[in-house]
Amino acid sequence: MALSGLEIYKLLPKTNCKECGFPTCLAFAMKLAQKQAELGACPYVSEQAKEALAAAAAPPIRLVVIGEGEHKVEIGNETVLFRHEKTFYHPPGIFLRLRDTDDVVAKAGPALSYSVERVGMTLGLDGIAVENASGSPETFAACVQKVRSFSPKPLILMSTDVAALRAALAVEGGKRPLLYAATPENWEAMAALAKETGLPLAVRDGDLDGLAALTEKSKAAGVEDLVLDVGCRGLLETLHALTHLRRLALKQNFRPLGYPVITFPGEGGVDPLDEMVIAAQHVAKYASLIVLEHFSPALVYPLLTLRLNIYTDPQKPIQVIPGLYEIGSPGDRSPLLVTTNFSLTYFSVAGEVEGSGVPSWLLIADSEGMSVLTAWAAGKFDAEKIAKTVREYDAASRLAHRKLVIPGYVSSLQGELEDELPGWEILVGPREAVDLPNYLRNVWRP
Ligand code: SF4
């Protein structure tokens, strides 16, 4: 049973020392009750109080790890219903479903090797869900072994037959796959296997009461790392079920359903485009693992981009480190351009400069992660800031000229900047990054 803020407060030291980052113990207690703070943030909680607070301190949705090392996927441990309340922490793992009757290389190869760069990050699929469609443990194991021979990424092993799962585990390589799935019919054997191997276990039931009963029984059997499958498919059904689950876990602190969720947006012959629409909904609300039936770069790229956007902290724009960057191998007669440290701005500008074939110096000012116009409007990218950045990174020492190209959107800073940087010529570049190649090749002169 969850404790109220006041009940938690009674167990805290009540010294209001502020070390937890909150002004008072009461404020900290209230946040703890809302699952928006971690008990570990207070260094002075007594052991007795820790025990009593265990229920309040435990994450409302358990953190579960699939896979190992650099490829591991961490899911769950979310604390809010809506991203703008705080942030979402663990992006859903996106997997491709492979049946052991499929051509492994033809289906899994392109998906596993697919990767795309965006704002300095490498995006791609997280792993493969291998299904024992053949019904044969040997065929299943051979398929898993083949996938493992060319990818260390996490696997979901899909079979309700414990013998088939054991055969697959023998060749899987010990990389912490997810076992899928325990049902009302087989849960005892599946829970025993999960306990014996220490692996996470998915449980499936089309009814939330049934699902809660399954998690309780699996937990009693010694399995802590559980993943929920609500059984239903389709846009409306899953929206309803997943929202209900998330609300029960966060608002009611209903422990039996406080686990990450797996979804299958393309199951049942869904058209690939519709599958991506459903998957997009699951990224936003509230899947932790999404198993796709189809893969194509054109369909998956928007999904990966959406996931990146939804799971970016809205209060912390993605930033690059301010400094003087070399694009190509610039010399002392190369152009010097300045822009802000919003990642999307940096990578757009850097990409276009690189594409122009004109080696350049790119000076990145600290605009607290804002884009050019936003930063200018907020006073974070003004003449004083740009001049300070030019001096801080000693741009002059790299150049035989004294010319600085500013973004066209802040052309109004030209005169003021020439006052701030005596001896420098301030040039107004294009407004859009896409126009930089033409500017650098045909307009800029040292
Ligand atoms: Fe109170 Fe602990 Fe926070 Fe200090 S660190 S204000 S004792 S809750």
Short mmCIF file of all heavy atoms in Angstrom, two decimals, residues 50-73:
data_model
loop_
_atom_site.label_atom_id
_atom_site.label_comp_id
_atom_site.label_asym_id
_atom_site.label_seq_id
_atom_site.Cartn_x
_atom_site.Cartn_y
_atom_site.Cartn_z
N LYS A 50 14.09 3.43 6.20
CA LYS A 50 14.25 2.92 4.83
C LYS A 50 13.36 1.71 4.61
O LYS A 50 12.72 1.57 3.57
CB LYS A 50 15.71 2.51 4.60
CG LYS A 50 16.56 3.63 4.05
CD LYS A 50 17.94 3.12 3.72
CE LYS A 50 18.89 4.31 3.60
NZ LYS A 50 20.28 3.96 3.69
N GLU A 51 13.34 0.85 5.60
CA GLU A 51 12.52 -0.36 5.49
C GLU A 51 11.05 0.02 5.37
O GLU A 51 10.33 -0.48 4.51
CB GLU A 51 12.72 -1.21 6.75
CG GLU A 51 13.14 -2.63 6.43
CD GLU A 51 13.56 -3.34 7.68
OE1 GLU A 51 12.67 -3.74 8.43
OE2 GLU A 51 14.79 -3.47 7.90
N ALA A 52 10.65 0.93 6.24
CA ALA A 52 9.24 1.33 6.24
C ALA A 52 8.87 2.04 4.93
O ALA A 52 7.73 1.98 4.49
CB ALA A 52 8.98 2.25 7.42
N LEU A 53 9.87 2.70 4.35
CA LEU A 53 9.59 3.47 3.13
C LEU A 53 9.80 2.66 1.86
O LEU A 53 9.64 3.20 0.77
CB LEU A 53 10.50 4.70 3.08
CG LEU A 53 10.15 5.80 4.09
CD1 LEU A 53 11.26 6.84 4.13
CD2 LEU A 53 8.84 6.46 3.71
N ALA A 54 10.16 1.40 2.02
CA ALA A 54 10.52 0.62 0.83
C ALA A 54 9.44 0.67 -0.24
O ALA A 54 9.72 0.85 -1.42
CB ALA A 54 10.80 -0.83 1.23
N ALA A 55 8.19 0.55 0.21
CA ALA A 55 7.10 0.55 -0.77
C ALA A 55 7.02 1.88 -1.49
O ALA A 55 6.80 1.93 -2.70
CB ALA A 55 5.79 0.25 -0.07
N ALA A 56 7.22 2.97 -0.71
CA ALA A 56 7.13 4.29 -1.33
C ALA A 56 8.33 4.57 -2.22
O ALA A 56 8.24 5.30 -3.19
CB ALA A 56 7.02 5.36 -0.26
N ALA A 57 9.47 3.97 -1.85
CA ALA A 57 10.70 4.27 -2.59
C ALA A 57 10.82 3.45 -3.86
O ALA A 57 11.49 3.86 -4.81
CB ALA A 57 11.91 3.99 -1.70
N ALA A 58 10.21 2.27 -3.91
CA ALA A 58 10.35 1.42 -5.09
C ALA A 58 9.74 2.11 -6.30
O ALA A 58 8.72 2.78 -6.18
CB ALA A 58 9.64 0.10 -4.84
N PRO A 59 10.38 1.96 -7.46
CA PRO A 59 9.81 2.61 -8.65
C PRO A 59 8.43 2.02 -8.95
O PRO A 59 8.22 0.82 -8.78
CB PRO A 59 10.81 2.29 -9.76
CG PRO A 59 11.63 1.16 -9.26
CD PRO A 59 11.59 1.21 -7.76
N PRO A 60 7.49 2.86 -9.38
CA PRO A 60 6.14 2.36 -9.64
C PRO A 60 6.10 1.39 -10.81
O PRO A 60 5.21 0.56 -10.90
CB PRO A 60 5.34 3.62 -9.93
CG PRO A 60 6.35 4.64 -10.33
CD PRO A 60 7.61 4.30 -9.61
N ILE A 61 7.07 1.53 -11.72
CA ILE A 61 7.18 0.57 -12.83
C ILE A 61 8.61 0.02 -12.78
O ILE A 61 9.58 0.77 -12.87
CB ILE A 61 6.92 1.26 -14.19
CG1 ILE A 61 5.49 1.81 -14.21
CG2 ILE A 61 7.14 0.27 -15.33
CD1 ILE A 61 5.16 2.62 -15.44
N ARG A 62 8.71 -1.27 -12.62
CA ARG A 62 10.02 -1.88 -12.40
C ARG A 62 10.94 -1.69 -13.60
O ARG A 62 10.52 -1.78 -14.75
CB ARG A 62 9.85 -3.37 -12.11
CG ARG A 62 11.15 -4.05 -11.73
CD ARG A 62 10.90 -5.50 -11.34
NE ARG A 62 12.16 -6.19 -11.13
CZ ARG A 62 12.84 -6.17 -9.99
NH1 ARG A 62 12.39 -5.47 -8.97
NH2 ARG A 62 13.98 -6.81 -9.86
N LEU A 63 12.22 -1.45 -13.30
CA LEU A 63 13.23 -1.38 -14.36
C LEU A 63 13.65 -2.80 -14.73
O LEU A 63 14.03 -3.58 -13.86
CB LEU A 63 14.45 -0.59 -13.87
CG LEU A 63 15.59 -0.48 -14.87
CD1 LEU A 63 15.23 0.48 -16.00
CD2 LEU A 63 16.87 -0.01 -14.19
N VAL A 64 13.56 -3.13 -16.01
CA VAL A 64 13.95 -4.46 -16.49
C VAL A 64 14.99 -4.30 -17.58
O VAL A 64 14.90 -3.39 -18.41
CB VAL A 64 12.71 -5.23 -17.02
CG1 VAL A 64 13.11 -6.56 -17.64
CG2 VAL A 64 11.71 -5.46 -15.89
N VAL A 65 16.00 -5.16 -17.54
CA VAL A 65 17.08 -5.07 -18.53
C VAL A 65 17.06 -6.30 -19.44
O VAL A 65 17.02 -7.43 -18.97
CB VAL A 65 18.46 -4.98 -17.83
CG1 VAL A 65 19.58 -4.88 -18.86
CG2 VAL A 65 18.50 -3.78 -16.89
N ILE A 66 17.07 -6.05 -20.75
CA ILE A 66 17.15 -7.12 -21.75
C ILE A 66 18.49 -6.97 -22.45
O ILE A 66 18.87 -5.87 -22.84
CB ILE A 66 16.04 -6.99 -22.83
CG1 ILE A 66 14.69 -6.64 -22.22
CG2 ILE A 66 15.99 -8.22 -23.72
CD1 ILE A 66 14.02 -7.72 -21.50
N GLY A 67 19.22 -8.05 -22.64
CA GLY A 67 20.52 -7.96 -23.31
C GLY A 67 21.61 -7.55 -22.35
O GLY A 67 21.37 -7.34 -21.15
N GLU A 68 22.82 -7.44 -22.90
CA GLU A 68 23.98 -7.16 -22.06
C GLU A 68 24.90 -6.13 -22.71
O GLU A 68 24.88 -5.96 -23.94
CB GLU A 68 24.78 -8.44 -21.84
CG GLU A 68 24.19 -9.31 -20.76
CD GLU A 68 25.14 -10.43 -20.35
OE1 GLU A 68 26.07 -10.75 -21.12
OE2 GLU A 68 24.96 -10.97 -19.27
N GLY A 69 25.75 -5.52 -21.89
CA GLY A 69 26.80 -4.64 -22.40
C GLY A 69 26.23 -3.46 -23.16
O GLY A 69 25.17 -2.95 -22.85
N GLU A 70 26.96 -3.04 -24.21
CA GLU A 70 26.59 -1.82 -24.92
C GLU A 70 25.25 -1.93 -25.65
O GLU A 70 24.65 -0.93 -26.01
CB GLU A 70 27.69 -1.43 -25.93
CG GLU A 70 27.94 -2.49 -26.96
CD GLU A 70 28.93 -2.06 -28.03
OE1 GLU A 70 28.85 -0.93 -28.50
OE2 GLU A 70 29.80 -2.89 -28.38
N HIS A 71 24.79 -3.15 -25.88
CA HIS A 71 23.52 -3.33 -26.61
C HIS A 71 22.32 -3.52 -25.70
O HIS A 71 21.21 -3.72 -26.17
CB HIS A 71 23.63 -4.54 -27.55
CG HIS A 71 24.66 -4.37 -28.61
ND1 HIS A 71 24.55 -3.43 -29.62
CD2 HIS A 71 25.85 -4.99 -28.82
CE1 HIS A 71 25.60 -3.49 -30.39
NE2 HIS A 71 26.42 -4.42 -29.94
N LYS A 72 22.53 -3.49 -24.40
CA LYS A 72 21.41 -3.79 -23.50
C LYS A 72 20.31 -2.74 -23.65
O LYS A 72 20.57 -1.58 -23.98
CB LYS A 72 21.90 -3.87 -22.05
CG LYS A 72 22.19 -2.54 -21.43
CD LYS A 72 22.66 -2.72 -20.00
CE LYS A 72 23.05 -1.37 -19.43
NZ LYS A 72 23.73 -1.46 -18.15
N VAL A 73 19.09 -3.20 -23.40
CA VAL A 73 17.93 -2.31 -23.48
C VAL A 73 17.32 -2.25 -22.08
O VAL A 73 16.92 -3.28 -21.53
CB VAL A 73 16.89 -2.85 -24.48
CG1 VAL A 73 15.66 -1.96 -24.52
CG2 VAL A 73 17.51 -2.96 -25.88
#
